[in-house]
Amino acid sequence: MALPVEIAEIVGEAREWEGRGWFPPGPQLAVCLSGGKESLKDLTDGELLEVAAARRQTSWAQARELAAIAELAGRRAVGGSEDDPRVLTSHESVTDEVAAALTVTGNAAATLVRLAERLAVELPGTREALEAGRIDLAKARVICDVTESLPADAAERLETAALEKAPAQTSGQLRRRITRMARHLAPEAVEERKRDAVRGRRLEVWDNSSGTANLALCDLPLEDAHAVYNKISAAARGLKHEGDARSLGILRVELAPRLLSGAELPDAARALLVEEPGAAEELSAPQVDDDVAVPALAAMVERRLAHVRARVSLDALPVAVRRAAQRIHDELAERRDAVCQGDDEEHGRPGYRPPAALRREVEERHGTCVFPSCNQPSRRCDLDHTISWRPGPTCRCNLAPLCRRHHRLKQSPGWSLFQIWPGLLIWTTPAGAWYIVRPDRT
């Protein structure tokens, strides 16, 4: 194909892509973009960036498409039967005609027809900017959306102001800027449009190709939407403060379905604190007199705490480990208490001091102080209530021998001790380490 002289002068070997960033869109730029080197891998970085000229060409092509749709809509409107309930209106008919021709949904076609008609009649400056490649289709849509339903003089002024800076702005920046201007130029029209949108508020759900789904509340009043988001965010931050290792985004998503399902916010937050992120292991403990019970529980604890360590940063580790140990303790509480209570009417023994038989049982279960490195015989230790007496019971599931030194250590800042099953204890340290202490006998 022979190139026009003025184009041939700039597509020589030395200047294959140089300068095309300024070349106006249209048939001549299409020729330039189609000629030259056969592979993009042969271009320099600078030359690759010059291919951005194709984006202006795209805007030009989209403007031509919208102009054709507007012309078609205008033709179909002439002589149409708008008042006959037996047939579609001309606008509905041309929308379906466009949908079939472009293989798009009816909603997408309706959006294209509306945009085409507005660019052709009400927003000529935006149409020209799109055709010249100064703005892209996304920015044209923004201008069309924000000027919708505004008085003609306000829409004209807003379009002029928008096009002054639109080429140098992203579509998001453009939308924020001209939305503020619209509220100033036509506050009553903006409020009426807002009321119309709120009347059409809805809950939508759609499936994703990944096998997940999106759930969205659409066209809520601004203050309601932000209030809901802020409330969920505050609860998520509270969970983070409590040591939850998950991100704020994940915690928001974990909270929202629970709230929509009817849970009260404190209950939803409490349920998340009880959960261990990513742990699907069921804490179903065997009977306490089964030889497998304590080893199985100890192995479970080790896996759960190792999982926490792998997920959090070092500075968050102490709180996260302590919180995870507390969750394990709480998850086992009902089964632990039921097994320990047996046929007794009440769980535990009355009074602070354990009876002699209970003391002997606890001392036989642990021959030494339950601190990992201590060898002090249990008969010389305090019989400590792991959870302080009242609310903690005087019972074999809440008693363990501690020498006086490690009794004091347990109460020191940063240290914690949990008895998750009779005789099975977890120490957590200020550095975020943990130690599992098993009974000598069950």
Side-chain angles (χ1 to χ4, degrees), residues 18 86 98 120 130 154 168 176 183 198 233 252 256 293 308 349 351 357 382 403 408 429:
E18 183 180 353
R86 297 171 300 174
V98 168
L130 181 64
R176 288 192 295 273
R183 287 196 293 264
V198 169
S233 295
R252 291 189 189 103
V308 171
R349 305 293 185 271
D382 300 330
C403 71
R408 293 167 56 202
T429 78

mmCIF file of all heavy atoms in Angstrom, residues 18 86 98 120 130 154 168 176 183 198 233 252 256 293 308 349 351 357 382 403 408 429:
data_model
loop_
_atom_site.group_PDB
_atom_site.id
_atom_site.type_symbol
_atom_site.label_atom_id
_atom_site.label_comp_id
_atom_site.label_asym_id
_atom_site.label_seq_id
_atom_site.Cartn_x
_atom_site.Cartn_y
_atom_site.Cartn_z
ATOM 1 N N GLU A 18 8.535 7.341 16.171
ATOM 2 C CA GLU A 18 8.825 8.628 16.795
ATOM 3 C C GLU A 18 7.775 9.675 16.401
ATOM 4 O O GLU A 18 7.418 9.825 15.240
ATOM 5 C CB GLU A 18 10.214 9.114 16.362
ATOM 6 C CG GLU A 18 10.632 10.421 17.030
ATOM 7 C CD GLU A 18 12.008 10.865 16.567
ATOM 8 O OE1 GLU A 18 12.653 10.078 15.847
ATOM 9 O OE2 GLU A 18 12.411 11.973 16.923
ATOM 10 N N ARG A 86 -49.275 -2.218 21.815
ATOM 11 C CA ARG A 86 -49.045 -3.550 21.255
ATOM 12 C C ARG A 86 -47.625 -3.733 20.732
ATOM 13 O O ARG A 86 -47.205 -4.863 20.457
ATOM 14 C CB ARG A 86 -50.047 -3.812 20.133
ATOM 15 C CG ARG A 86 -51.507 -3.822 20.592
ATOM 16 C CD ARG A 86 -52.428 -3.865 19.385
ATOM 17 N NE ARG A 86 -52.214 -2.706 18.523
ATOM 18 C CZ ARG A 86 -52.813 -2.544 17.337
ATOM 19 N NH1 ARG A 86 -53.629 -3.487 16.870
ATOM 20 N NH2 ARG A 86 -52.587 -1.451 16.626
ATOM 21 N N VAL A 98 -29.618 -2.528 18.347
ATOM 22 C CA VAL A 98 -28.193 -2.337 18.661
ATOM 23 C C VAL A 98 -27.652 -3.543 19.431
ATOM 24 O O VAL A 98 -26.541 -4.020 19.171
ATOM 25 C CB VAL A 98 -27.994 -1.034 19.463
ATOM 26 C CG1 VAL A 98 -26.580 -0.964 20.041
ATOM 27 C CG2 VAL A 98 -28.279 0.176 18.589
ATOM 28 N N ALA A 120 -24.752 13.415 20.897
ATOM 29 C CA ALA A 120 -25.161 13.996 19.619
ATOM 30 C C ALA A 120 -25.905 15.315 19.797
ATOM 31 O O ALA A 120 -25.798 16.215 18.954
ATOM 32 C CB ALA A 120 -26.047 13.008 18.863
ATOM 33 N N LEU A 130 -13.931 13.400 22.443
ATOM 34 C CA LEU A 130 -13.763 11.960 22.279
ATOM 35 C C LEU A 130 -13.271 11.638 20.867
ATOM 36 O O LEU A 130 -12.342 10.835 20.688
ATOM 37 C CB LEU A 130 -15.090 11.254 22.547
ATOM 38 C CG LEU A 130 -15.086 9.727 22.447
ATOM 39 C CD1 LEU A 130 -14.174 9.110 23.507
ATOM 40 C CD2 LEU A 130 -16.507 9.168 22.576
ATOM 41 N N ALA A 154 -26.721 24.752 33.286
ATOM 42 C CA ALA A 154 -25.769 24.175 34.237
ATOM 43 C C ALA A 154 -24.978 23.051 33.576
ATOM 44 O O ALA A 154 -23.765 22.915 33.784
ATOM 45 C CB ALA A 154 -26.495 23.659 35.471
ATOM 46 N N ALA A 168 -5.981 15.614 31.374
ATOM 47 C CA ALA A 168 -4.881 15.370 32.310
ATOM 48 C C ALA A 168 -5.337 14.678 33.585
ATOM 49 O O ALA A 168 -4.533 14.505 34.509
ATOM 50 C CB ALA A 168 -4.197 16.695 32.656
ATOM 51 N N ARG A 176 -14.813 13.168 40.693
ATOM 52 C CA ARG A 176 -14.845 13.886 41.968
ATOM 53 C C ARG A 176 -14.922 15.392 41.751
ATOM 54 O O ARG A 176 -15.683 16.094 42.432
ATOM 55 C CB ARG A 176 -13.611 13.525 42.800
ATOM 56 C CG ARG A 176 -13.648 12.118 43.374
ATOM 57 C CD ARG A 176 -12.556 11.924 44.413
ATOM 58 N NE ARG A 176 -11.226 12.009 43.837
ATOM 59 C CZ ARG A 176 -10.578 10.980 43.306
ATOM 60 N NH1 ARG A 176 -11.161 9.781 43.266
ATOM 61 N NH2 ARG A 176 -9.361 11.116 42.821
ATOM 62 N N ARG A 183 -22.882 20.041 42.385
ATOM 63 C CA ARG A 183 -23.611 20.389 43.606
ATOM 64 C C ARG A 183 -23.673 21.899 43.799
ATOM 65 O O ARG A 183 -24.623 22.429 44.368
ATOM 66 C CB ARG A 183 -22.952 19.714 44.816
ATOM 67 C CG ARG A 183 -23.208 18.221 44.889
ATOM 68 C CD ARG A 183 -22.882 17.676 46.268
ATOM 69 N NE ARG A 183 -21.453 17.737 46.553
ATOM 70 C CZ ARG A 183 -20.623 16.729 46.387
ATOM 71 N NH1 ARG A 183 -21.073 15.570 45.917
ATOM 72 N NH2 ARG A 183 -19.343 16.853 46.677
ATOM 73 N N VAL A 198 -32.179 6.802 45.148
ATOM 74 C CA VAL A 198 -32.462 6.094 46.401
ATOM 75 C C VAL A 198 -33.772 5.320 46.297
ATOM 76 O O VAL A 198 -33.900 4.213 46.844
ATOM 77 C CB VAL A 198 -32.494 7.092 47.581
ATOM 78 C CG1 VAL A 198 -33.044 6.426 48.842
ATOM 79 C CG2 VAL A 198 -31.103 7.648 47.843
ATOM 80 N N SER A 233 -16.077 -1.357 59.975
ATOM 81 C CA SER A 233 -14.632 -1.108 60.047
ATOM 82 C C SER A 233 -14.179 -0.939 61.489
ATOM 83 O O SER A 233 -13.104 -1.416 61.875
ATOM 84 C CB SER A 233 -14.276 0.142 59.230
ATOM 85 O OG SER A 233 -14.525 -0.061 57.860
ATOM 86 N N ARG A 252 -13.670 -7.308 57.693
ATOM 87 C CA ARG A 252 -14.926 -6.678 57.264
ATOM 88 C C ARG A 252 -15.819 -7.698 56.561
ATOM 89 O O ARG A 252 -17.029 -7.777 56.803
ATOM 90 C CB ARG A 252 -14.637 -5.502 56.331
ATOM 91 C CG ARG A 252 -13.986 -4.294 56.982
ATOM 92 C CD ARG A 252 -13.948 -3.135 56.001
ATOM 93 N NE ARG A 252 -13.149 -2.033 56.504
ATOM 94 C CZ ARG A 252 -11.910 -1.753 56.101
ATOM 95 N NH1 ARG A 252 -11.344 -2.502 55.165
ATOM 96 N NH2 ARG A 252 -11.254 -0.736 56.602
ATOM 97 N N ALA A 256 -19.576 -8.862 57.811
ATOM 98 C CA ALA A 256 -20.770 -8.433 57.085
ATOM 99 C C ALA A 256 -21.806 -9.546 56.900
ATOM 100 O O ALA A 256 -22.994 -9.332 57.180
ATOM 101 C CB ALA A 256 -20.372 -7.827 55.737
ATOM 102 N N ALA A 293 -6.375 -39.092 74.436
ATOM 103 C CA ALA A 293 -6.950 -37.758 74.586
ATOM 104 C C ALA A 293 -5.895 -36.671 74.692
ATOM 105 O O ALA A 293 -5.874 -35.723 73.901
ATOM 106 C CB ALA A 293 -7.877 -37.730 75.803
ATOM 107 N N VAL A 308 -0.649 -19.821 63.770
ATOM 108 C CA VAL A 308 -0.673 -18.397 64.130
ATOM 109 C C VAL A 308 0.696 -17.766 63.903
ATOM 110 O O VAL A 308 0.809 -16.683 63.338
ATOM 111 C CB VAL A 308 -1.110 -18.226 65.602
ATOM 112 C CG1 VAL A 308 -0.930 -16.780 66.056
ATOM 113 C CG2 VAL A 308 -2.565 -18.643 65.774
ATOM 114 N N ARG A 349 -15.150 -28.203 93.790
ATOM 115 C CA ARG A 349 -15.375 -28.425 95.213
ATOM 116 C C ARG A 349 -15.600 -27.083 95.902
ATOM 117 O O ARG A 349 -15.052 -26.067 95.484
ATOM 118 C CB ARG A 349 -14.154 -29.112 95.842
ATOM 119 C CG ARG A 349 -13.752 -30.411 95.163
ATOM 120 C CD ARG A 349 -14.817 -31.496 95.373
ATOM 121 N NE ARG A 349 -14.374 -32.779 94.819
ATOM 122 C CZ ARG A 349 -14.588 -33.174 93.578
ATOM 123 N NH1 ARG A 349 -15.238 -32.372 92.748
ATOM 124 N NH2 ARG A 349 -14.171 -34.352 93.178
ATOM 125 N N GLY A 351 -15.123 -24.101 98.451
ATOM 126 C CA GLY A 351 -13.993 -23.571 99.192
ATOM 127 C C GLY A 351 -12.735 -23.426 98.365
ATOM 128 O O GLY A 351 -12.604 -23.965 97.268
ATOM 129 N N ALA A 357 -7.728 -35.689 99.013
ATOM 130 C CA ALA A 357 -7.746 -36.640 97.896
ATOM 131 C C ALA A 357 -7.507 -35.921 96.567
ATOM 132 O O ALA A 357 -6.791 -36.433 95.696
ATOM 133 C CB ALA A 357 -9.088 -37.368 97.860
ATOM 134 N N ASP A 382 2.944 -24.769 95.599
ATOM 135 C CA ASP A 382 1.578 -24.295 95.805
ATOM 136 C C ASP A 382 0.660 -25.048 94.852
ATOM 137 O O ASP A 382 1.026 -25.324 93.706
ATOM 138 C CB ASP A 382 1.454 -22.807 95.508
ATOM 139 C CG ASP A 382 2.346 -21.961 96.400
ATOM 140 O OD1 ASP A 382 2.594 -22.378 97.544
ATOM 141 O OD2 ASP A 382 2.787 -20.885 95.930
ATOM 142 N N CYS A 403 5.713 -23.941 91.904
ATOM 143 C CA CYS A 403 6.598 -23.473 92.965
ATOM 144 C C CYS A 403 6.374 -21.980 93.161
ATOM 145 O O CYS A 403 5.796 -21.300 92.313
ATOM 146 C CB CYS A 403 8.051 -23.785 92.628
ATOM 147 S SG CYS A 403 8.716 -22.775 91.283
ATOM 148 N N ARG A 408 4.675 -16.752 91.021
ATOM 149 C CA ARG A 408 4.813 -15.298 90.817
ATOM 150 C C ARG A 408 5.026 -14.974 89.339
ATOM 151 O O ARG A 408 4.534 -13.978 88.832
ATOM 152 C CB ARG A 408 5.973 -14.773 91.654
ATOM 153 C CG ARG A 408 5.722 -14.855 93.158
ATOM 154 C CD ARG A 408 6.993 -14.627 93.943
ATOM 155 N NE ARG A 408 7.606 -13.345 93.596
ATOM 156 C CZ ARG A 408 8.892 -13.075 93.779
ATOM 157 N NH1 ARG A 408 9.693 -14.003 94.262
ATOM 158 N NH2 ARG A 408 9.366 -11.889 93.469
ATOM 159 N N THR A 429 4.688 -16.690 76.527
ATOM 160 C CA THR A 429 5.714 -15.802 77.066
ATOM 161 C C THR A 429 5.587 -14.398 76.482
ATOM 162 O O THR A 429 4.891 -14.180 75.480
ATOM 163 C CB THR A 429 7.111 -16.345 76.734
ATOM 164 O OG1 THR A 429 7.417 -16.039 75.360
ATOM 165 C CG2 THR A 429 7.200 -17.848 76.942
#
